[in-house]
Amino acid sequence: MSESGGNAGGRGRGGSGSGRGKGGPRDTSTRNAQGRERNRSPQKSFTENAPAQRTRRADPARLVAFEVLRAVAAEDAYANLVLPSRIRHHNLDKRDAGFATELSYGALRNQGTYDAVLARCVDRPLDQLDPAILDALRIGAHQLLAMRVPAHAALDQTVGLARAVIGAGPSALINAVLRKVTAHTLEEWLEHLVAGESDETKIASIRYAHPEWIVRAMRQSLVAHGRSVTEINDLLEADNAAPVVNLVALPGLGSLDEALDNGATPGELVEGSALSSGGDLGRLASVREGSTRVQDVGSQLVARAMAAVELGTGSGTGERWLDLCAGPGGKAALLGALARQQGATLLANEPAPHRAKLVRQALAAVPRETWEVRTGDGREVGTEMAASFDRVLVDVPCSGLGALRRRPESRWRRTPKDLADLGPLQRALLTSALDAVRPGGVVAYVTCSPHPAETTAVVTDALRKREDLELLEAGAVLDGVSLTGNLGAGHNSTAQLWPHIHSTDAMFLALIRKKA
């Protein structure tokens, strides 16, 4: 369960030592009822150090991780949006930023497993702990069990963080609990947690830190897309690996030279892509101007497939393309550049005004005559602009089960009910896209989820209701736009990418052509 990255080892002697960030967020609404006195007397010291050497400040990198976990838990924030702003706020250098990233994402991804461990070390149900205390315990557990941080440093710095931002009483509780965590390695804890358990789903849930319903959903998804259920552990493990940052140079507009000069390596799956070890990509001029963008290779592949698929009669220059659910604009930017190369124009539709603004910003690097942004309900486009487009991308709102590695908190937020709630919207948007495409045109139905309820079931329902549609071989089209030419993603005419096979998000693609 360890996060990737080489920044953790150098912090083992006790943190960055910069001493900034003593203010931090405080959550004191219930902490007086959380056992402050009960846990104080048995614990004579907070760390193995002499009293005069106890850390009483919040190490900035750990403080950033704590603030990220607090924002995620208390404000339903997204870690990937909060983390960069907190790193900038605390002026972390590259080394400390890497540590804060690993600590934040690792504690969030592995939350279920760490909570199971902590439940063995706390004398009351975890839901009776102050949420801030629980977040500090998760941060400590990740350092102790999955990072290259010596135990004394992890204890000292986590207790120092707690003293600075929560209080002296809670820090005693945190110190006592984390000392119990140090009694075993992660693998030893896992053996204890699954001892006597025969349910494979529950065992996988504990070992790979996924809710049980998601483990079942992923097993079902593998089978639905023609893969073996025996791949489940590899898939769950891939979800827990820190993803490499994927870059794309907008075709005909951008260049990867600057990224490659700064340590990126050429991508192996798709033209014009690169892989970056991270760092502050915002310092690259090509990224700031938008001609080079951060975008998962899976997203690049499905966008290129939509642009490359063979149409029926009447295709050629002057085509009109539609991105029906365009926000926040990543695929729209790539499609806009491809449309420009092919003499086409792009309409990007987004219902939320603030996200439509993001789409305009994403398209800014593409010449203005190539694209237009519409703010409106995608379900109405098929009626308002019937049979108007040659190619339509409908990347529907979905559960995001295919991007769990990039959104570490989402696995603990999603519920099976989300699948049921999203189904009608997904079907309505696909219907609108099919109405909006002209005879001979193609609709690319895309989700960042492999779940059959969001993928094959939606497509099957659409095909069953109409006789003027044909399902194209999406796997073959993906192979045609990939550098390998053999992704092996096709099954029953649709295509499914996988993090454990392709090192991409689990993107689903169906290509549906309206008969001429």
Side-chain angles (χ1 to χ4, degrees), residues 329-394:
K331 294 183 185 71
L334 179 53
L335 288 176
L338 292 168
R340 173 179 171 272
Q341 286 188 320
Q342 296 177 213
T345 57
L346 173 71
L347 175 64
N349 179 80
E350 169 56 43
H354 70 283
R355 285 170 62 88
K357 181 179 179 180
L358 295 176
V359 175
R360 293 185 182 91
Q361 293 171 352
L363 281 161
V366 180
R368 187 64 184 81
E369 62 272 14
T370 299
W371 56 270
E372 178 184 352
V373 175
R374 174 187 185 271
T375 303
D377 191 332
R379 292 169 292 187
E380 299 172 356
V381 173
T383 300
E384 296 177 4
M385 289 177 272
S388 296
F389 299 95
D390 300 273
R391 303 174 192 269
V392 179
L393 174 70
V394 53

Side-chain angles (χ1 to χ4, degrees), residues 248-308:
V248 58
L250 297 185
L253 298 169
S255 170
L256 293 172
D257 291 347
E258 185 183 20
L260 297 174
D261 289 344
N262 282 271
T265 57
E268 298 179 353
L269 288 187
V270 63
E271 178 184 357
S273 68
L275 309 177
S276 172
S277 59
D280 184 9
L281 295 174
R283 62 189 172 84
L284 302 182
S286 56
V287 172
R288 290 197 305 272
E289 70 185 18
S291 61
T292 298
R293 303 186 56 82
V294 174
Q295 186 176 57
D296 182 72
V297 169
S299 295
Q300 297 178 43
L301 284 167
V302 297
R304 285 182 175 273
M306 178 268 206

